[in-house]
Amino acid sequence: MSQVFSEETHRNMLARIPHCTGREISDWLRTVEEGPALFRFEEKVSWLRHEHDLAYGHAKAIIHEYDLRRAARKLL
């Protein structure tokens, strides 16, 4: 079962990702967008972890942010 982060924890994790990975969140979101068409959250996290050697928490935060932004685009 995956961890559930609070909104504050999610924002803090996103803020640390550029320092830890050397890439901005926008770059990671583009990587996910251009990656394979996976449907399940954990499949996307696993792909990002293994393809880009990311920690589980970082990959999860990136995928969560990607899904949030994608859902917001659909509402517009």
Side-chain angles (χ1 to χ4, degrees):
M1 186 163 144
S2 64
Q3 289 178 297
V4 176
F5 295 139
S6 70
E7 184 64 26
E8 180 182 3
T9 301
H10 175 67
R11 293 288 156 218
N12 288 338
M13 182 75 74
L14 286 180
R16 289 192 306 266
I17 287 174
H19 173 72
C20 295
T21 67
R23 291 177 63 183
E24 295 297 320
I25 294 300
S26 59
D27 293 336
W28 285 114
L29 296 176
R30 191 170 26 263
T31 296
V32 173
E33 181 72 29
E34 295 169 354
L38 302 170
F39 294 103
R40 293 181 50 231
F41 182 85
E42 287 297 329
E43 288 176 325
K44 293 182 220 175
V45 170
S46 181
W47 170 78
L48 199 57
R49 288 183 67 207
H50 293 98
E51 187 71 22
H52 298 280
D53 197 30
L54 291 176
Y56 176 75
H58 291 155
K60 182 178 174 187
I62 291 166
I63 298 300
H64 181 63
E65 185 67 16
Y66 174 81
D67 287 348
L68 287 173
R69 292 184 186 195
R70 187 181 63 180
R73 284 193 312 254
K74 287 183 179 181
L75 292 175
L76 297 176

